[in-house]
Amino acid sequence: MQAIKSIWQATTERLAQFISKPAMDLWIRPMLPVDYENDCAIFVVESAFQRDIIMSKYKDLICNELSQVVGFEMNINVTTPEDKQYKSKAKEVETSPVQIEKLVQPIYPEY
């Protein structure tokens, strides 16, 4: 598990060259690596919305940079806690999820 964390850390450093800091903090950093199988890194995110954005906007870039780090062709799969297959593995990882509310400043002050 430590190896996949190290690989993901190196990959996020590379991704930061191409993705804005707000986008990194909102979409990329909350991705939690939980498994690796058949040249595919598996990540868990908090919601299906996050998963859909990552897969539609960032998948190709993530796969490319991840492949550069490990030295061979890689793919990713992003799942959510509702997906039963990876629910237990997500709990095993020792990290706290990023709260979106902490990353986004409100446009209007609270009344």
Side-chain angles (χ1 to χ4, degrees):
M1 180 55 78
Q2 189 60 32
I4 194 167
K5 284 183 180 180
S6 298
I7 291 168
W8 181 236
Q9 177 63 37
T11 303
T12 57
E13 290 171 10
R14 293 177 62 96
L15 289 169
Q17 299 173 21
F18 306 102
I19 302 173
S20 70
K21 182 174 178 0
M24 284 292 295
D25 291 343
L26 187 60
W27 304 114
I28 306 301
R29 294 198 203 295
M31 294 173 63
L32 187 63
V34 293
D35 203 1
Y36 167 83
E37 53 188 43
N38 301 326
D39 298 335
C40 183
I42 301 164
F43 297 88
V44 173
V45 295
E46 290 182 12
S47 70
F49 179 71
Q50 279 180 299
R51 177 196 62 215
D52 295 345
I53 295 293
I54 292 164
M55 294 301 282
S56 67
K57 295 186 180 279
Y58 300 108
K59 180 184 178 192
D60 291 341
L61 181 59
I62 293 169
C63 289
N64 183 51
E65 296 307 313
L66 186 59
S67 297
Q68 292 294 320
V69 169
V70 297
F72 55 89
E73 192 74 24
M74 288 285 297
N75 199 0
I76 64 166
N77 183 16
V78 180
T79 187
T80 65
E82 289 81 33
D83 295 330
K84 294 177 183 173
Q85 184 177 4
Y86 297 105
K87 193 171 189 173
S88 62
K89 289 185 181 187
K91 289 181 182 178
E92 293 173 8
V93 179
E94 297 176 17
T95 185
S96 60
V98 174
Q99 297 283 331
I100 292 176
E101 294 84 12
K102 291 180 182 178
L103 299 175
V104 179
Q105 295 293 326
I107 296 173
Y108 304 104
E110 292 183 30
Y111 293 96

